[in-house]
Amino acid sequence: MQPMPAEQTQARRFGKARSARSTAVLEDYVELISDLLGTTGEARPTDIARRLGVSHPTAIDTIARLKREDLVTARPYRGVFLTEKGETLAKRVRTRHRLVVDVLLALGVPQEAAEADAEGIEHHVSDVTLKAFAEFLRDAKGPRKA
């Protein structure tokens, strides 16, 4: 059995995990809204709810939270749109997601499992770890042969 970490260290770790869980929902919504806008031109609460597997009232409540965080705007009968802050977050989340998926694929994880697992991992991984993931992928590709 490994020794327990110092109290402050352990509290910091658990605090980071709680914070990640709190922001994960917002990140998932922003990423999905960006995807919907990019592919269909609109992000309606009904579509958001169906794609996230939540009830319509849950989607409406979360969209209200996104508005309070200045991540989205919503217009009656026109759907939900990302603010500049929301677009920036969506790009960061998408990049992080792709990087986690690519690492899992490089490790031999099947595509569907890598995509599903990345949905959880991407919200909890630190910038330090993401940098290590990127370096791992760069090293795994190695020098190109002419």
Side-chain angles (χ1 to χ4, degrees), residues 98 101 105 108-116:
R98 288 293 3 129
V101 168
L105 292 173
V109 176
Q111 180 77 39
E112 184 55 35
E115 292 286 350

Side-chain angles (χ1 to χ4, degrees), residues 11 23 25 27 31 40 43 55 58 63-65 73 108 114 117 123 129 131 135 137-138:
T23 60
V25 170
E27 291 176 348
E31 184 179 14
T40 68
S55 70
T58 296
I63 291 166
R65 185 174 164 206
T73 60
D117 291 346
H123 302 293
T129 301
K131 184 178 177 190
E135 289 174 9
L137 289 174
R138 243 187 331 272

